[in-house]
Coordinates of all heavy atoms in Angstrom, one line a residue:
M1 N -7.8 7.0 32.0 CA -7.1 6.7 30.8 C -8.0 6.6 29.6 O -7.6 7.0 28.5 CB -6.3 5.4 30.9 CG -5.0 5.5 31.8 SD -4.0 6.9 31.4 CE -3.1 6.3 30.0
G2 N -9.2 6.1 29.8 CA -10.1 6.0 28.7 C -10.5 7.3 28.1 O -10.6 7.5 26.9
F3 N -10.6 8.3 29.0 CA -10.9 9.6 28.5 C -9.8 10.2 27.6 O -10.0 10.7 26.5 CB -11.1 10.6 29.7 CG -11.1 12.0 29.3 CD1 -12.2 12.6 28.6 CD2 -10.0 12.8 29.5 CE1 -12.2 13.9 28.2 CE2 -10.0 14.1 29.1 CZ -11.1 14.7 28.5
L4 N -8.5 10.0 28.0 CA -7.4 10.6 27.3 C -7.3 9.9 25.9 O -7.1 10.5 24.9 CB -6.1 10.3 28.0 CG -5.6 11.4 28.9 CD1 -4.3 11.1 29.5 CD2 -5.5 12.7 28.1
K5 N -7.6 8.6 25.9 CA -7.5 7.8 24.7 C -8.5 8.3 23.7 O -8.2 8.6 22.5 CB -7.7 6.3 25.0 CG -7.1 5.4 23.9 CD -7.3 4.0 24.3 CE -7.0 3.1 23.1 NZ -7.7 1.9 23.1
N6 N -9.7 8.5 24.1 CA -10.8 9.0 23.2 C -10.4 10.4 22.7 O -10.6 10.7 21.6 CB -12.1 9.1 24.0 CG -12.7 7.7 24.1 OD1 -12.4 6.8 23.4 ND2 -13.6 7.6 25.1
F7 N -9.8 11.2 23.6 CA -9.5 12.6 23.2 C -8.5 12.5 22.1 O -8.7 13.2 21.1 CB -8.9 13.2 24.4 CG -8.4 14.7 24.2 CD1 -9.4 15.6 24.0 CD2 -7.1 15.0 24.1 CE1 -9.0 17.0 23.8 CE2 -6.7 16.3 23.9 CZ -7.7 17.3 23.7
F8 N -7.5 11.7 22.2 CA -6.4 11.7 21.1 C -7.0 11.1 19.8 O -6.6 11.5 18.7 CB -5.2 11.0 21.6 CG -4.4 11.8 22.5 CD1 -4.2 11.4 23.8 CD2 -3.8 13.0 22.1 CE1 -3.4 12.2 24.7 CE2 -3.1 13.8 22.9 CZ -2.9 13.4 24.2
Q9 N -7.8 10.1 20.0 CA -8.4 9.5 18.8 C -9.2 10.5 18.0 O -9.2 10.6 16.8 CB -9.3 8.3 19.1 CG -8.4 7.0 19.2 CD -9.2 5.9 19.8 OE1 -10.3 6.0 20.2 NE2 -8.6 4.7 19.8
K10 N -9.9 11.4 18.8 CA -10.7 12.4 18.1 C -9.9 13.4 17.4 O -10.1 13.8 16.3 CB -11.5 13.2 19.2 CG -13.0 12.8 19.1 CD -13.8 13.6 20.2 CE -15.0 12.8 20.6 NZ -15.6 13.2 21.8
L11 N -8.7 13.8 18.0 CA -7.8 14.7 17.4 C -7.3 14.2 16.1 O -7.1 14.9 15.1 CB -6.7 15.0 18.3 CG -6.9 16.1 19.4 CD1 -5.6 16.4 20.1 CD2 -7.3 17.4 18.7
A12 N -7.0 12.9 16.1 CA -6.3 12.3 14.9 C -7.3 12.0 13.8 O -6.9 11.8 12.7 CB -5.6 11.0 15.4
A13 N -8.6 12.0 14.1 CA -9.5 11.6 13.1 C -9.7 12.6 12.1 O -9.8 13.8 12.4 CB -10.9 11.3 13.8
P14 N -9.8 12.3 10.8 CA -10.1 13.2 9.8 C -11.5 13.7 9.9 O -12.3 13.1 10.5 CB -9.9 12.4 8.5 CG -10.1 11.0 8.9 CD -9.7 10.9 10.3
P15 N -11.8 14.8 9.2 CA -13.1 15.4 9.4 C -14.3 14.5 8.9 O -15.4 14.6 9.4 CB -13.1 16.7 8.5 CG -11.8 16.6 7.7 CD -10.9 15.7 8.5
K16 N -14.0 13.7 7.8 CA -15.0 12.8 7.3 C -15.2 11.6 8.2 O -14.2 11.2 8.9 CB -14.7 12.4 5.9 CG -15.0 13.5 4.9 CD -14.7 13.0 3.5 CE -14.8 14.2 2.5 NZ -14.2 13.8 1.2
T17 N -16.3 10.9 8.1 CA -16.5 9.7 8.9 C -15.7 8.6 8.4 O -15.4 7.7 9.1 CB -18.0 9.4 9.0 OG1 -18.4 9.3 7.6 CG2 -18.8 10.3 9.8
H18 N -15.4 8.6 7.1 CA -14.6 7.5 6.5 C -13.1 7.7 6.7 O -12.6 8.6 6.3 CB -14.9 7.5 5.0 CG -14.8 6.1 4.5 ND1 -15.8 5.1 4.7 CD2 -13.9 5.5 3.7 CE1 -15.5 4.0 4.1 NE2 -14.3 4.2 3.5
V19 N -12.5 6.8 7.5 CA -11.1 6.9 7.8 C -10.3 6.3 6.7 O -10.5 5.2 6.2 CB -10.8 6.2 9.1 CG1 -9.3 6.3 9.5 CG2 -11.6 6.8 10.3
N20 N -9.3 7.1 6.2 CA -8.4 6.6 5.2 C -7.5 5.6 5.8 O -7.0 5.7 6.9 CB -7.6 7.7 4.6 CG -8.4 8.5 3.6 OD1 -9.4 8.1 3.1 ND2 -7.9 9.7 3.3
Y21 N -7.2 4.6 5.0 CA -6.3 3.6 5.5 C -5.3 3.3 4.4 O -5.6 3.0 3.3 CB -7.1 2.3 5.9 CG -6.2 1.2 6.4 CD1 -5.5 1.4 7.6 CD2 -6.0 0.0 5.7 CE1 -4.7 0.4 8.1 CE2 -5.2 -1.0 6.2 CZ -4.5 -0.8 7.4 OH -3.7 -1.7 7.8
F22 N -4.0 3.4 4.8 CA -3.0 3.2 3.8 C -2.2 1.9 4.1 O -1.9 1.6 5.2 CB -2.0 4.4 3.8 CG -2.6 5.6 3.3 CD1 -3.1 6.6 4.2 CD2 -2.7 5.9 2.0 CE1 -3.7 7.7 3.8 CE2 -3.4 7.0 1.5 CZ -3.8 8.0 2.4
Y23 N -1.8 1.3 3.0 CA -0.9 0.1 3.0 C 0.4 0.6 2.4 O 0.4 1.0 1.3 CB -1.5 -1.0 2.3 CG -0.5 -2.2 2.1 CD1 -0.2 -3.0 3.2 CD2 0.2 -2.4 0.9 CE1 0.7 -4.0 3.1 CE2 1.1 -3.4 0.8 CZ 1.3 -4.2 1.9 OH 2.2 -5.2 1.8
T24 N 1.5 0.6 3.2 CA 2.8 1.0 2.6 C 3.7 -0.2 2.5 O 3.6 -1.2 3.2 CB 3.5 2.1 3.6 OG1 3.6 1.5 4.9 CG2 2.7 3.4 3.6
F25 N 4.6 -0.1 1.5 CA 5.5 -1.2 1.2 C 6.8 -0.6 0.6 O 6.8 0.6 0.1 CB 4.8 -2.2 0.3 CG 4.4 -1.6 -1.0 CD1 5.2 -1.6 -2.2 CD2 3.2 -0.9 -1.1 CE1 4.8 -1.1 -3.4 CE2 2.8 -0.4 -2.3 CZ 3.6 -0.4 -3.4
G26 N 7.8 -1.4 0.6 CA 9.1 -0.9 0.1 C 9.5 -1.9 -1.0 O 9.3 -3.1 -0.9
V27 N 10.1 -1.3 -2.1 CA 10.6 -2.2 -3.2 C 12.0 -1.8 -3.5 O 12.4 -0.6 -3.2 CB 9.8 -2.1 -4.5 CG1 8.3 -2.5 -4.2 CG2 9.8 -0.7 -5.1
R28 N 12.8 -2.7 -3.9 CA 14.2 -2.4 -4.4 C 14.3 -2.6 -5.9 O 13.9 -3.7 -6.4 CB 15.2 -3.4 -3.7 CG 16.6 -3.0 -4.1 CD 17.6 -4.0 -3.5 NE 17.7 -3.9 -2.0 CZ 17.4 -4.8 -1.2 NH1 16.9 -6.0 -1.6 NH2 17.5 -4.6 0.1
C29 N 14.7 -1.6 -6.6 CA 14.9 -1.6 -8.0 C 15.9 -2.7 -8.4 O 17.0 -2.8 -7.8 CB 15.3 -0.3 -8.5 SG 15.6 -0.2 -10.3
K30 N 15.5 -3.5 -9.4 CA 16.3 -4.6 -9.8 C 17.6 -4.1 -10.5 O 18.6 -4.7 -10.5 CB 15.5 -5.4 -10.8 CG 15.8 -6.9 -10.9 CD 15.0 -7.5 -12.0 CE 14.7 -8.9 -11.8 NZ 13.7 -9.4 -12.8
R31 N 17.5 -2.9 -11.1 CA 18.6 -2.4 -11.9 C 19.6 -1.7 -11.1 O 20.8 -1.9 -11.3 CB 18.0 -1.5 -13.1 CG 18.5 -2.0 -14.4 CD 17.7 -1.4 -15.5 NE 18.3 -0.2 -16.1 CZ 17.7 0.6 -16.9 NH1 16.4 0.4 -17.3 NH2 18.3 1.6 -17.4
C32 N 19.2 -0.8 -10.3 CA 20.1 0.1 -9.6 C 20.1 -0.1 -8.1 O 21.0 0.5 -7.4 CB 19.8 1.6 -9.9 SG 18.3 2.2 -9.2
G33 N 19.2 -0.9 -7.5 CA 19.2 -1.1 -6.1 C 18.5 -0.1 -5.3 O 18.5 -0.2 -4.0
E34 N 18.0 1.0 -5.9 CA 17.3 2.0 -5.1 C 16.1 1.4 -4.4 O 15.4 0.6 -5.0 CB 16.9 3.2 -6.0 CG 16.2 4.3 -5.3 CD 15.8 5.4 -6.2 OE1 16.0 5.4 -7.4 OE2 15.1 6.3 -5.6
I35 N 15.9 1.9 -3.2 CA 14.7 1.5 -2.4 C 13.7 2.6 -2.6 O 13.9 3.7 -2.3 CB 15.1 1.1 -1.0 CG1 15.9 -0.1 -1.0 CG2 13.8 0.9 -0.1 CD1 16.4 -0.6 0.4
I36 N 12.5 2.2 -3.0 CA 11.4 3.1 -3.2 C 10.2 2.7 -2.3 O 9.9 1.5 -2.2 CB 11.0 3.1 -4.7 CG1 12.2 3.3 -5.6 CG2 9.9 4.1 -5.0 CD1 12.0 2.7 -7.0
E37 N 9.6 3.7 -1.8 CA 8.5 3.4 -0.9 C 7.2 3.6 -1.7 O 7.0 4.6 -2.4 CB 8.5 4.3 0.3 CG 7.4 3.8 1.3 CD 7.4 4.7 2.6 OE1 8.4 4.5 3.4 OE2 6.5 5.5 2.7
G38 N 6.3 2.7 -1.6 CA 5.0 2.8 -2.3 C 3.9 2.8 -1.3 O 4.1 2.4 -0.1
R39 N 2.8 3.3 -1.7 CA 1.7 3.5 -0.8 C 0.4 3.3 -1.5 O 0.2 3.8 -2.6 CB 1.7 4.9 -0.1 CG 0.8 5.0 1.0 CD 1.1 6.2 1.8 NE 0.6 7.4 1.2 CZ 0.2 8.5 1.8 NH1 0.4 8.6 3.1 NH2 -0.3 9.6 1.2
L40 N -0.4 2.4 -0.9 CA -1.8 2.2 -1.5 C -2.8 2.8 -0.6 O -2.8 2.7 0.6 CB -2.1 0.7 -1.6 CG -1.3 -0.1 -2.6 CD1 -1.7 -1.6 -2.5 CD2 -1.6 0.3 -4.0
N41 N -3.7 3.5 -1.2 CA -4.9 4.0 -0.4 C -6.0 2.9 -0.6 O -6.5 2.7 -1.6 CB -5.4 5.3 -1.0 CG -6.5 5.9 -0.2 OD1 -7.4 5.1 0.3 ND2 -6.6 7.2 -0.2
L42 N -6.2 2.3 0.6 CA -7.2 1.1 0.5 C -8.6 1.5 0.2 O -9.5 0.7 0.0 CB -7.1 0.3 1.8 CG -5.7 -0.3 2.1 CD1 -5.7 -1.2 3.3 CD2 -5.2 -1.2 0.9
N43 N -8.9 2.8 0.3 CA -10.2 3.3 -0.1 C -10.3 3.7 -1.5 O -11.4 3.7 -2.1 CB -10.6 4.5 0.8 CG -10.8 4.0 2.3 OD1 -11.3 3.0 2.5 ND2 -10.4 4.9 3.2
N44 N -9.2 4.0 -2.2 CA -9.3 4.5 -3.5 C -8.6 3.7 -4.6 O -8.9 3.7 -5.7 CB -8.7 5.9 -3.6 CG -9.5 6.9 -2.9 OD1 -10.8 6.9 -3.0 ND2 -8.9 7.9 -2.3
D45 N -7.5 2.9 -4.2 CA -6.7 2.3 -5.1 C -7.1 0.8 -5.4 O -6.5 0.2 -6.3 CB -5.2 2.3 -4.7 CG -4.6 3.7 -4.7 OD1 -5.2 4.6 -5.3 OD2 -3.6 3.9 -4.0
L46 N -8.1 0.3 -4.8 CA -8.4 -1.1 -5.0 C -9.6 -1.2 -6.0 O -10.5 -0.5 -6.0 CB -8.9 -1.7 -3.6 CG -8.0 -1.7 -2.5 CD1 -8.5 -2.6 -1.3 CD2 -6.6 -2.1 -2.8
S47 N -9.4 -2.2 -6.9 CA -10.5 -2.5 -7.8 C -11.1 -3.8 -7.4 O -10.4 -4.7 -6.9 CB -9.9 -2.7 -9.2 OG -9.0 -1.7 -9.5
I48 N -12.4 -3.9 -7.6 CA -13.1 -5.2 -7.2 C -12.7 -6.2 -8.2 O -12.7 -6.0 -9.4 CB -14.6 -5.0 -7.1 CG1 -14.9 -4.1 -5.9 CG2 -15.3 -6.3 -7.0 CD1 -16.3 -3.7 -5.8
D49 N -12.2 -7.4 -7.7 CA -11.7 -8.4 -8.6 C -11.8 -9.7 -7.8 O -11.2 -9.9 -6.8 CB -10.3 -8.1 -9.0 CG -9.6 -9.2 -9.8 OD1 -10.3 -10.2 -10.1 OD2 -8.5 -9.1 -10.1
Y50 N -12.6 -10.7 -8.3 CA -12.9 -11.9 -7.5 C -12.0 -13.1 -7.9 O -12.3 -14.2 -7.6 CB -14.4 -12.2 -7.6 CG -15.2 -11.2 -6.8 CD1 -16.0 -10.4 -7.5 CD2 -15.2 -11.2 -5.5 CE1 -16.8 -9.4 -6.9 CE2 -15.9 -10.2 -4.8 CZ -16.8 -9.4 -5.5 OH -17.5 -8.4 -4.8
E51 N -10.9 -12.8 -8.6 CA -10.0 -13.9 -9.1 C -9.2 -14.4 -7.9 O -8.9 -13.7 -6.9 CB -9.0 -13.3 -10.1 CG -9.4 -13.7 -11.5 CD -8.4 -13.1 -12.5 OE1 -7.2 -13.6 -12.4 OE2 -8.7 -12.1 -13.2
D52 N -8.9 -15.7 -8.0 CA -8.0 -16.3 -7.0 C -8.4 -16.2 -5.6 O -7.6 -16.1 -4.7 CB -6.6 -15.8 -7.1 CG -6.0 -15.8 -8.5 OD1 -6.4 -16.8 -9.2 OD2 -5.2 -15.0 -8.9
G53 N -9.7 -16.2 -5.3 CA -10.2 -16.1 -4.0 C -10.1 -14.8 -3.3 O -10.4 -14.6 -2.1
A54 N -9.6 -13.8 -4.1 CA -9.5 -12.4 -3.5 C -10.7 -11.6 -3.8 O -11.5 -12.0 -4.6 CB -8.2 -11.7 -4.1
N55 N -10.8 -10.5 -3.2 CA -12.0 -9.6 -3.5 C -11.5 -8.3 -4.1 O -12.3 -7.6 -4.8 CB -12.7 -9.2 -2.2 CG -13.6 -10.3 -1.7 OD1 -13.1 -11.5 -1.7 ND2 -14.7 -10.0 -1.3
Y56 N -10.3 -7.9 -3.9 CA -9.8 -6.7 -4.5 C -8.4 -6.9 -5.1 O -7.6 -7.6 -4.6 CB -9.6 -5.6 -3.4 CG -10.9 -5.2 -2.7 CD1 -11.3 -5.7 -1.5 CD2 -11.8 -4.3 -3.3 CE1 -12.4 -5.4 -0.8 CE2 -13.0 -3.9 -2.7 CZ -13.3 -4.5 -1.5 OH -14.4 -4.1 -0.8
T57 N -8.1 -6.1 -6.1 CA -6.8 -6.1 -6.7 C -6.3 -4.6 -6.8 O -7.1 -3.7 -7.0 CB -6.8 -6.7 -8.1 OG1 -7.1 -8.0 -8.0 CG2 -5.4 -6.6 -8.7
A58 N -5.0 -4.4 -6.5 CA -4.5 -3.0 -6.7 C -3.2 -3.2 -7.5 O -2.4 -4.1 -7.2 CB -4.2 -2.4 -5.3
R59 N -3.0 -2.3 -8.4 CA -1.7 -2.3 -9.2 C -1.1 -0.9 -9.0 O -1.7 0.1 -9.0 CB -2.0 -2.5 -10.7 CG -2.4 -3.9 -10.9 CD -2.5 -4.2 -12.4 NE -2.8 -5.6 -12.6 CZ -4.0 -6.1 -12.5 NH1 -5.0 -5.3 -12.3 NH2 -4.3 -7.4 -12.6
K60 N 0.3 -0.9 -8.9 CA 1.0 0.3 -8.7 C 2.3 0.2 -9.5 O 3.0 -0.8 -9.4 CB 1.3 0.5 -7.2 CG 1.5 2.0 -6.9 CD 0.3 2.5 -6.3 CE 0.4 4.0 -6.0 NZ -0.9 4.6 -5.6
V61 N 2.6 1.2 -10.3 CA 3.9 1.2 -11.0 C 4.8 2.3 -10.3 O 4.4 3.4 -10.1 CB 3.7 1.5 -12.5 CG1 5.1 1.6 -13.2 CG2 2.9 0.5 -13.1
L62 N 6.0 1.8 -9.9 CA 6.9 2.7 -9.2 C 8.1 3.0 -10.1 O 8.6 2.1 -10.7 CB 7.3 2.1 -7.8 CG 6.2 1.8 -6.9 CD1 6.7 0.9 -5.7 CD2 5.6 3.1 -6.3
I63 N 8.6 4.2 -10.0 CA 9.9 4.5 -10.7 C 10.7 5.3 -9.7 O 10.2 6.3 -9.1 CB 9.6 5.4 -12.0 CG1 8.6 4.7 -12.9 CG2 10.9 5.7 -12.7 CD1 8.1 5.5 -14.1
G64 N 12.0 5.0 -9.6 CA 12.9 5.6 -8.7 C 13.1 7.1 -9.0 O 13.0 7.5 -10.2
G65 N 13.5 7.9 -8.0 CA 13.7 9.3 -8.3 C 15.1 9.6 -8.5 O 15.5 10.7 -9.1
S66 N 16.1 8.8 -8.1 CA 17.5 9.1 -8.2 C 18.2 8.1 -9.1 O 17.5 7.3 -9.7 CB 18.1 9.1 -6.8 OG 17.8 8.0 -6.1
N67 N 19.5 8.2 -9.2 CA 20.3 7.2 -9.9 C 20.1 7.2 -11.4 O 20.6 6.4 -12.1 CB 20.1 5.8 -9.4 CG 20.4 5.6 -7.9 OD1 21.2 6.3 -7.4 ND2 19.7 4.7 -7.3
L68 N 19.3 8.2 -11.9 CA 19.0 8.3 -13.3 C 18.6 6.9 -13.9 O 19.0 6.5 -15.0 CB 20.3 8.8 -14.1 CG 20.7 10.2 -13.7 CD1 22.0 10.6 -14.5 CD2 19.6 11.2 -14.1
C69 N 17.8 6.3 -13.2 CA 17.3 5.0 -13.6 C 15.8 5.1 -13.8 O 15.1 5.6 -13.0 CB 17.6 3.9 -12.5 SG 16.8 2.3 -12.7
F70 N 15.4 4.6 -15.0 CA 14.0 4.7 -15.3 C 13.3 3.4 -15.4 O 12.3 3.2 -16.0 CB 13.8 5.5 -16.6 CG 14.4 6.9 -16.5 CD1 15.7 7.1 -17.0 CD2 13.8 7.9 -15.8 CE1 16.3 8.4 -16.9 CE2 14.3 9.1 -15.7 CZ 15.6 9.4 -16.3
Q71 N 13.8 2.4 -14.7 CA 13.2 1.1 -14.6 C 11.8 1.2 -13.9 O 11.7 1.9 -12.9 CB 14.1 0.2 -13.7 CG 13.5 -1.1 -13.3 CD 13.7 -2.2 -14.3 OE1 14.4 -2.0 -15.3 NE2 13.1 -3.3 -14.1
Q72 N 10.9 0.6 -14.6 CA 9.5 0.6 -14.0 C 9.4 -0.6 -13.2 O 9.7 -1.7 -13.6 CB 8.5 0.6 -15.1 CG 8.4 1.9 -15.8 CD 7.1 2.1 -16.6 OE1 6.3 1.1 -16.7 NE2 6.9 3.3 -17.1
I73 N 8.9 -0.5 -12.0 CA 8.6 -1.6 -11.1 C 7.1 -1.7 -10.9 O 6.5 -0.9 -10.4 CB 9.3 -1.4 -9.7 CG1 10.8 -1.1 -10.0 CG2 9.1 -2.5 -8.8 CD1 11.5 -0.5 -8.8
E74 N 6.6 -2.8 -11.4 CA 5.2 -3.1 -11.4 C 4.8 -4.0 -10.3 O 5.3 -5.1 -10.2 CB 4.7 -3.7 -12.7 CG 4.9 -2.8 -13.9 CD 4.6 -3.6 -15.2 OE1 3.7 -4.4 -15.2 OE2 5.3 -3.3 -16.2
T75 N 3.9 -3.5 -9.4 CA 3.5 -4.3 -8.3 C 2.0 -4.6 -8.4 O 1.2 -3.8 -8.9 CB 3.8 -3.6 -7.0 OG1 3.1 -2.3 -7.0 CG2 5.2 -3.4 -6.8
T76 N 1.6 -5.8 -8.0 CA 0.2 -6.2 -7.9 C -0.1 -6.7 -6.6 O 0.6 -7.6 -6.1 CB -0.1 -7.2 -9.0 OG1 0.3 -6.7 -10.3 CG2 -1.6 -7.5 -9.1
F77 N -1.2 -6.3 -6.0 CA -1.6 -6.8 -4.6 C -3.0 -7.3 -4.7 O -3.9 -6.8 -5.4 CB -1.6 -5.6 -3.6 CG -0.2 -5.0 -3.5 CD1 0.2 -4.0 -4.3 CD2 0.7 -5.4 -2.5 CE1 1.5 -3.4 -4.2 CE2 1.9 -4.9 -2.4 CZ 2.3 -3.8 -3.3
K78 N -3.2 -8.4 -3.9 CA -4.6 -8.9 -3.8 C -5.0 -8.9 -2.4 O -4.3 -9.2 -1.5 CB -4.6 -10.4 -4.3 CG -4.5 -10.4 -5.9 CD -4.9 -11.7 -6.4 CE -4.6 -11.8 -7.9 NZ -5.4 -10.9 -8.7
F79 N -6.2 -8.4 -2.2 CA -6.8 -8.2 -0.8 C -8.1 -9.0 -0.7 O -8.8 -9.2 -1.6 CB -7.0 -6.7 -0.5 CG -5.8 -5.9 -0.4 CD1 -5.2 -5.3 -1.6 CD2 -5.2 -5.7 0.8 CE1 -4.1 -4.5 -1.5 CE2 -4.0 -4.9 0.9 CZ -3.5 -4.3 -0.2
S80 N -8.3 -9.4 0.6 CA -9.6 -10.0 0.9 C -10.7 -9.0 1.1 O -10.4 -7.8 1.0 CB -9.4 -10.8 2.2 OG -9.4 -9.9 3.3
G81 N -11.9 -9.5 1.3 CA -13.0 -8.6 1.5 C -12.8 -7.6 2.7 O -13.4 -6.5 2.7
E82 N -12.0 -8.0 3.7 CA -11.7 -7.2 4.8 C -10.5 -6.3 4.6 O -10.0 -5.7 5.5 CB -11.4 -8.0 6.1 CG -12.6 -8.8 6.6 CD -12.8 -10.1 5.8 OE1 -11.8 -10.7 5.4 OE2 -14.0 -10.4 5.5
K83 N -10.0 -6.3 3.3 CA -8.9 -5.5 2.9 C -7.6 -6.0 3.6 O -6.7 -5.2 3.9 CB -9.1 -4.0 3.1 CG -10.3 -3.6 2.2 CD -10.5 -2.1 2.2 CE -11.6 -1.7 1.2 NZ -12.0 -0.3 1.3
K84 N -7.5 -7.3 3.9 CA -6.3 -7.8 4.4 C -5.5 -8.3 3.2 O -6.0 -9.0 2.3 CB -6.5 -9.0 5.3 CG -7.0 -8.5 6.7 CD -7.0 -9.6 7.7 CE -5.6 -10.1 8.1 NZ -5.7 -11.1 9.2
L85 N -4.2 -8.1 3.2 CA -3.3 -8.5 2.1 C -3.3 -10.0 2.0 O -3.0 -10.7 3.0 CB -1.9 -8.0 2.2 CG -0.9 -8.3 1.1 CD1 -1.4 -7.5 -0.2 CD2 0.5 -7.9 1.5
L86 N -3.5 -10.6 0.8 CA -3.5 -12.0 0.6 C -2.2 -12.4 -0.2 O -1.6 -13.4 0.2 CB -4.7 -12.5 -0.2 CG -6.1 -12.3 0.4 CD1 -7.2 -12.6 -0.6 CD2 -6.2 -13.1 1.7
S87 N -1.9 -11.7 -1.2 CA -0.7 -12.0 -2.0 C -0.2 -10.8 -2.7 O -0.9 -9.8 -2.9 CB -1.0 -13.1 -2.9 OG -1.9 -12.7 -3.9
R88 N 1.0 -10.8 -3.2 CA 1.6 -9.7 -3.9 C 2.6 -10.2 -4.9 O 3.3 -11.2 -4.7 CB 2.2 -8.6 -3.0 CG 3.3 -9.2 -2.1 CD 3.7 -8.1 -1.1 NE 4.9 -8.5 -0.4 CZ 5.5 -7.8 0.5 NH1 5.0 -6.6 0.9 NH2 6.6 -8.2 1.1
E89 N 2.7 -9.5 -6.0 CA 3.6 -9.8 -7.1 C 4.4 -8.6 -7.5 O 3.9 -7.5 -7.4 CB 2.9 -10.4 -8.3 CG 2.3 -11.8 -8.1 CD 1.4 -12.2 -9.3 OE1 1.7 -11.8 -10.4 OE2 0.4 -12.8 -9.0
I90 N 5.6 -8.8 -8.0 CA 6.4 -7.7 -8.4 C 7.2 -8.1 -9.7 O 7.7 -9.2 -9.8 CB 7.3 -7.2 -7.3 CG1 8.1 -5.9 -7.7 CG2 8.3 -8.3 -6.9 CD1 8.6 -5.2 -6.5
V91 N 7.3 -7.1 -10.6 CA 8.1 -7.2 -11.8 C 9.1 -6.1 -11.9 O 8.7 -4.9 -11.7 CB 7.2 -7.3 -13.1 CG1 8.1 -7.4 -14.3 CG2 6.2 -8.4 -13.0
G92 N 10.4 -6.3 -12.1 CA 11.3 -5.3 -12.2 C 12.0 -4.9 -10.9 O 12.9 -4.0 -10.8
G93 N 11.7 -5.6 -9.8 CA 12.4 -5.4 -8.5 C 12.0 -6.4 -7.6 O 11.5 -7.5 -7.9
E94 N 12.2 -6.2 -6.3 CA 11.8 -7.1 -5.2 C 11.3 -6.3 -4.0 O 11.7 -5.2 -3.8 CB 13.0 -8.0 -4.8 CG 14.2 -7.2 -4.3 CD 15.3 -8.1 -3.9 OE1 15.3 -9.3 -4.2 OE2 16.3 -7.6 -3.3
F95 N 10.4 -7.0 -3.3 CA 9.9 -6.3 -2.1 C 10.9 -6.3 -1.0 O 11.7 -7.3 -0.8 CB 8.6 -7.1 -1.6 CG 7.4 -6.9 -2.5 CD1 7.0 -7.9 -3.3 CD2 6.8 -5.6 -2.5 CE1 5.9 -7.7 -4.1 CE2 5.7 -5.4 -3.3 CZ 5.2 -6.5 -4.1
V96 N 11.0 -5.3 -0.2 CA 11.9 -5.2 1.0 C 10.9 -5.0 2.1 O 10.0 -4.3 2.0 CB 12.9 -4.1 0.9 CG1 14.0 -4.5 -0.2 CG2 12.3 -2.8 0.6
E97 N 11.3 -5.6 3.2 CA 10.4 -5.5 4.4 C 10.7 -4.2 5.1 O 11.9 -3.7 5.2 CB 10.6 -6.7 5.4 CG 10.2 -8.0 4.8 CD 8.8 -8.0 4.2 OE1 7.9 -7.4 4.8 OE2 8.6 -8.6 3.2
E98 N 9.7 -3.6 5.6 CA 9.9 -2.3 6.4 C 10.5 -2.6 7.7 O 10.3 -3.6 8.3 CB 8.5 -1.7 6.6 CG 7.7 -1.5 5.4 CD 7.6 -0.1 4.9 OE1 7.8 0.8 5.8 OE2 7.5 0.2 3.7
E99 N 11.3 -1.7 8.1 CA 12.0 -1.9 9.4 C 11.2 -1.3 10.6 O 10.4 -0.4 10.4 CB 13.4 -1.2 9.4 CG 14.4 -2.0 8.6 CD 15.5 -1.2 8.1 OE1 15.9 -0.2 8.8 OE2 16.0 -1.4 7.0
Ligands
LIG109 ZN1 16.5 1.8 -10.6

């Protein structure tokens, strides 16, 4: 089984040694109720920020694609040095848990 597992991990690995890691989340627009999926690239979207005991901060503005609604939903995430999510804030909507 160990052999098979290694085999599949090799197949799934990107060509570079640095593996991309994504954090995905869902938000619901306050105005129209549309659910929008957001995605952070933990290798590119994080800024170093040592406020509030965190090591990284990421900001993302989401706008829904349907319902002719142009409400901007601003999200802010704080991550630890190991890129574990510590806290998150949202303006213009609310977070919905992924199923
Ligand atoms: Zn909306």
Side-chain angles (χ1 to χ4, degrees):
M1 284 311 280
F3 166 74
L4 268 184
K5 203 178 165 206
N6 284 339
F7 180 71
F8 283 116
Q9 275 172 353
K10 253 181 208 161
L11 275 185
K16 283 181 190 168
T17 50
H18 210 71
V19 178
N20 281 342
Y21 182 63
F22 292 98
Y23 171 76
T24 56
F25 58 96
V27 300
R28 182 185 291 116
C29 177
K30 212 183 207 172
R31 233 163 101 188
C32 70
E34 180 181 357
I35 291 178
I36 307 158
E37 192 179 284
R39 191 164 78 153
L40 290 177
N41 182 328
L42 296 184
N43 290 323
N44 290 323
D45 292 343
L46 303 191
S47 316
I48 292 174
D49 177 3
Y50 293 107
E51 259 178 68
D52 304 329
N55 284 44
Y56 299 99
T57 297
R59 290 191 175 80
K60 204 100 187 172
V61 177
L62 302 167
I63 302 171
S66 48
N67 302 331
L68 297 176
C69 170
F70 300 100
Q71 169 84 6
Q72 290 197 351
I73 303 162
E74 296 175 33
T75 57
T76 305
F77 300 86
K78 289 196 185 294
F79 291 90
S80 72
E82 294 80 38
K83 297 186 179 172
K84 282 188 75 172
L85 183 68
L86 297 174
S87 64
R88 57 187 190 177
E89 286 171 35
I90 186 163
V91 178
E94 59 181 9
F95 288 108
V96 291
E97 296 309 321
E98 307 256 333
E99 282 157 35

